[in-house]
Amino acid sequence: MKKGIHPENYRMVAFKDMSNGDVFLTRSTANTKETLDVDGVEYPLIKLEISRTSHPFYTGKSKLVDTAGRIDKFKNKYAKFKK
């Protein structure tokens, strides 16, 4: 491997699947401002929309995602800022 091209700041990071709440730890260099307490230890947090525990390919189950409801909720939430 070439020297000096790989990041040096690997650390344990918590990844949380927001669709089902599953959390897993792995090493990463991803930057984040949020943290999560896992078993009494605080880790940087990366939020995921989908992971191995919720993806239909891995679970074998089809899941209906309410994208229309999410869009409507977003528009209603930020309608007050529209001029």
Side-chain angles (χ1 to χ4, degrees):
M1 291 194 305
K2 291 184 180 180
K3 295 186 187 270
I5 63 169
H6 299 286
E8 298 290 330
N9 62 340
Y10 281 102
R11 70 208 186 286
M12 292 301 289
V13 176
F15 287 84
K16 182 174 184 180
D17 185 336
M18 300 308 290
S19 65
N20 64 6
D22 182 52
V23 176
F24 61 94
L25 299 172
T26 189
R27 291 173 41 108
S28 177
T29 61
N31 293 324
T32 182
K33 295 179 182 176
E34 297 180 77
T35 60
L36 179 69
D37 187 55
V38 178
D39 298 329
V41 180
E42 193 170 291
Y43 295 101
L45 172 65
I46 303 290
K47 294 180 179 177
L48 304 172
E49 291 295 321
I50 195 163
S51 71
R52 60 182 168 71
T53 59
S54 61
H55 193 283
F57 179 80
Y58 297 107
T59 61
K61 299 175 185 172
S62 180
K63 181 179 175 185
L64 178 63
V65 177
D66 180 24
T67 54
R70 289 182 182 179
I71 293 168
D72 292 337
K73 187 192 294 186
F74 178 83
K75 286 181 180 178
N76 291 336
K77 183 176 180 181
Y78 292 101
K80 61 185 172 189
F81 297 112
K82 191 176 181 182
K83 291 185 178 183

